Amino acid sequence: MCRWLAYWGTPVLLDTILYKPAHSLIDQSLHSKLGVETTNGDGFGVGWYSAHNDTPALLRDVGPAWNNWNLRELADHVRSPLFFAHIRASTGTAVQQSNCHPFRHGRWMFMHNGAVEGFPRMRRELSMLVDPGLYPDIEGTTDSEVMFYLALTYGLDQDPPAAVARMAGVVERVGRDHGVEFPLQMTLALTDGERVWVFRYSSARASRSLFYSSRVDALRRLHPDIGFLRHVSDESRLVVSEPLGDLPGAWNEVPENSYGVVQPGNDELHRFAPVAA
């Protein structure tokens, strides 16, 4: 499957979160500790927002992240308060640029680790549930992108958690109609450029790993010698497929069947359940 990270907070260089950590996402592309696969080399993607554009910029490529010179060059020069980064291990769909995460529609970005079990059997039925006005914008062949467009169809602009719950409910209903016992495995992140929503859920109640960073003010008290912590706001937050290092007190597991919201003020953590279609 895949590994990803989402960063929200004080504007930082991409290099700070993508390359510098001891167990960075680049290191995980070769040496994942908690993923299904050790190596995640079937493409990568990075998305970010700037002050001058409401829509995110994307860099995606089919090669592995660990040896991409353009990504290395970009990371030293792009600064943003919100980054998505994803390294891909294909679950069967083609290794092509349009299948690399994050996916974008308008101001929204979406990335996913997991799978829709039996997706080839369900692809047509699920795709036909996408709003006809949105359907032409689907570029690739992944289950993840169809999940994104189903969430858009079910009101992502109005209520992201409710839209994802309806999407998950439809995927489970269609999957079970096709004889799949546990249709959905997902840890996913989505953002409108202002807030980040993250979800951890699976039909089998055995979801892929997902962690969030502790509040920066608490980490400063624990580790006053770490310079990076002096330069970011108390609200800065990372959500990651697996911890970027072994700093004591830095990482907390996102509970099974839950979703979180990273936003100005207090972040939130709630229970998550699909809405039966």
Side-chain angles (χ1 to χ4, degrees), residues 3-273:
R3 306 278 82 185
W4 58 255
L5 70 79
Y7 171 81
W8 184 97
T10 300
V12 296
L13 285 172
L14 177 58
D15 173 72
T16 304
I17 57 170
L18 191 61
Y19 283 92
K20 286 187 175 179
H23 187 47
S24 69
L25 204 65
I26 301 302
D27 183 60
Q28 291 176 36
S29 66
L30 278 167
H31 307 295
S32 172
K33 298 176 181 178
L34 301 179
V36 175
E37 297 87 7
T38 301
T39 303
N40 297 271
D42 295 328
F44 71 88
V46 178
W48 68 93
Y49 293 83
S50 70
H52 310 294
N53 201 321
D54 291 334
T55 59
L58 293 183
L59 172 68
R60 300 186 296 177
D61 198 272
V62 298
W66 65 76
N67 69 350
N68 190 282
W69 179 251
N70 288 328
L71 179 61
R72 175 67 270 185
E73 178 73 13
L74 184 87
D76 288 329
H77 296 277
V78 171
R79 186 183 301 270
S80 176
L82 203 167
F83 284 108
F84 273 14
H86 186 281
I87 51 176
R88 183 171 184 243
S90 173
T91 56
T93 49
V95 178
Q96 60 191 45
Q97 190 172 21
S98 58
N99 284 345
C100 294
H101 309 222
F103 301 105
R104 173 181 62 192
H105 188 273
R107 72 179 194 271
W108 288 97
M109 276 198 300
F110 174 102
M111 60 185 175
H112 170 231
N113 171 37
V116 175
E117 184 69 26
F119 180 65
R121 305 203 302 273
M122 301 180 233
R123 186 199 313 266
R124 182 179 183 278
E125 187 170 350
L126 290 174
S127 297
M128 293 299 288
L129 295 172
V130 173
D131 185 300
L134 294 170
Y135 185 82
D137 295 331
I138 297 176
E139 297 179 341
T141 60
T142 63
D143 50 359
S144 302
E145 192 176 15
V146 171
M147 290 167 62
F148 179 32
Y149 276 83
L150 284 170
L152 288 163
T153 297
Y154 296 139
L156 191 59
D157 276 323
Q158 290 76 44
D159 189 337
V164 173
R166 289 188 65 193
M167 175 274 289
V170 162
V171 169
E172 289 196 323
R173 190 265 297 169
V174 172
R176 286 166 180 154
D177 286 349
H178 286 265
V180 179
E181 183 180 7
F182 301 121
L184 183 58
Q185 173 71 243
M186 69 177 198
T187 59
L188 64 84
L190 55 92
T191 181
D192 60 359
E194 297 179 4
R195 292 185 286 174
V196 175
W197 291 263
V198 298
F199 298 79
R200 185 180 186 221
Y201 174 80
S202 66
S203 306
R205 308 298 191 266
S207 301
R208 301 294 180 242
S209 58
L210 193 64
F211 297 83
Y212 64 94
S213 61
S214 298
R215 279 186 59 90
V216 171
D217 53 352
L219 287 174
R220 283 197 202 100
R221 292 192 293 271
L222 286 171
H223 307 284
D225 55 325
I226 296 180
F228 169 75
L229 297 174
R230 294 194 292 270
H231 303 296
V232 294
S233 70
D234 290 352
E235 293 186 328
S236 297
R237 187 83 74 176
L238 277 158
V239 184
V240 297
S241 292
E242 59 187 78
L244 304 184
D246 56 3
L247 190 67
W251 301 103
N252 312 273
E253 187 173 17
V254 176
E256 182 74 42
N257 299 347
S258 64
Y259 76 91
V261 189
V262 181
Q263 60 190 355
N266 292 327
D267 297 338
E268 300 176 8
L269 188 62
H270 302 280
R271 296 295 295 168
F272 175 80

